[in-house]
Amino acid sequence: MSRRRIGFWYRLAAVIAKPPLVLLFKRDWSGMENIPADGGFITAVNHNSYLDPLSYAHYQYNTGRVPRFLAKNGLFGKGFVGAVMRGTGQIPVYRETTNALDAFRAALDAIERGECVAFYPEGTLTRDPAMWPMTAKTGAARVALRTRCPVIPVAQWGANLAMPPYAKENKLRLLPRKTLQVKAGPPVDLSAYYDLEPTPEVLREVTETIMAAVTSLLAEMRGEPAPATPYDPRTARLKQRRTGVRPQPPAPAVCESAPGQKSGESNQ
């Protein structure tokens, strides 16, 4: 199949979510031409705020190719939120259970149906103190090698300024009005890995290749170089055990856009 229709539930979610996003935030969107017009594909997105799924979904909705997010299964329960999650075709993730492979199978099925599956490869909000992408899990790499579908790197910035991760008070900081920046890059070339056995080493290398593309886009967006080595929370925990010094949580970044960069409006 080439692509799936947006459908009632996604349009309803857009009717509810887009007006406040348009009213409360500016937008600086680029790279929409890299989102495939047809066929299944993966997007790999950095994660630095509880608000950024809305920012990214708004961006991609306007391309006509809506994302199917992998989300924790607790969001699919009773009530309106659960109905929206099921109705929009989001994919539940059951961590550390006998159903843990269901998300992988569902992602494969969605891509074979010509849909987009959106991965946050880090698996959670970044713990990097400067808000760069941290080390990632291999789920996106596994699906990419199995399907050989395009993998589109996506970087976003700005939602973390309105709702910083790990803040003491989980509230929106709307003033001054923030700019939600989203940029999609060209597909990551993974052809060198297609005929290799997907060993843990190969999956790790593919994951690092994908995340390097995402981080490069974010560096362009922020106008500053990224760290040479991504932050690894496991290494930080080991260091804590050895030294007894608890790592500090990420501090909210202060810059909104790259030096000398003018934030622009895009399609609503």
Side-chain angles (χ1 to χ4, degrees):
M1 289 182 64
S2 59
R3 60 194 293 182
R4 174 177 168 176
R5 295 177 58 189
I6 292 177
F8 167 79
W9 281 102
Y10 234 122
R11 294 188 186 280
L12 175 62
V15 167
I16 295 171
K18 285 180 67 173
L21 288 171
V22 171
L23 176 65
L24 298 174
F25 300 99
K26 295 178 286 185
R27 291 163 305 288
D28 186 357
W29 292 348
S30 59
M32 284 186 170
E33 69 278 5
N34 292 311
I35 300 297
D38 298 285
F41 64 100
I42 289 170
T43 55
V45 194
N46 67 305
H47 195 12
N48 54 28
S49 172
Y50 289 116
L51 186 63
D52 60 36
L54 288 176
S55 173
Y56 163 62
H58 185 191
Y59 168 90
Q60 194 166 317
Y61 181 90
N62 278 35
T63 71
R65 302 300 310 276
V66 294
R68 310 295 171 184
F69 289 96
L70 281 84
K72 59 183 181 181
N73 65 297
L75 295 174
F76 291 78
K78 297 180 180 179
F80 180 73
V81 172
V84 171
M85 295 296 288
R86 294 188 298 273
T88 54
Q90 309 312 316
I91 300 172
V93 176
Y94 301 87
R95 295 180 178 175
E96 300 179 358
T97 71
T98 56
N99 296 323
L101 289 177
D102 288 353
F104 175 72
R105 298 188 186 99
L108 294 177
D109 290 343
I111 290 171
E112 290 174 357
R113 292 195 303 270
E115 300 181 23
C116 165
V117 177
F119 281 85
Y120 286 110
E122 297 161 276
T124 187
L125 293 169
T126 182
R127 298 293 302 184
D128 182 84
M131 298 283 92
W132 293 101
M134 61 180 181
T135 54
K137 302 182 184 300
T138 60
R142 291 176 183 275
V143 175
L145 294 184
R146 178 70 69 87
T147 63
R148 301 191 178 189
C149 69
V151 178
I152 308 300
V154 178
Q156 53 185 359
W157 185 258
N160 55 299
L161 304 176
M163 183 178 284
Y166 311 109
K168 293 182 179 179
E169 296 183 17
N170 195 20
K171 64 180 181 179
L172 286 172
R173 294 157 172 78
L174 296 177
L175 297 176
R177 193 173 178 226
K178 307 298 188 294
T179 299
L180 302 180
Q181 300 180 70
V182 185
K183 182 175 185 177
V188 182
D189 184 6
L190 301 177
S191 57
Y193 302 98
Y194 287 159
D195 294 325
L196 300 180
E197 182 181 353
T199 63
E201 292 75 18
V202 167
L203 291 172
R204 175 53 51 195
E205 189 172 339
V206 171
T207 300
E208 291 173 354
T209 300
I210 294 171
M211 292 308 295
V214 175
T215 303
S216 178
L217 289 174
L218 185 59
E220 293 176 14
M221 187 178 290
R222 293 175 57 170
E224 56 183 305
T229 304
Y231 179 85
D232 187 342
R234 292 175 297 180
T235 301
R237 287 193 295 268
L238 290 173
K239 182 178 179 180
Q240 177 192 352
R241 294 191 187 105
R242 289 196 306 265
T243 64
V245 178
R246 187 178 184 84
Q248 295 298 312
V254 295
C255 62
E256 180 170 352
S257 58
Q261 179 183 13
K262 182 179 179 181
S263 296
E265 293 288 334
S266 186
N267 296 329
Q268 296 183 2

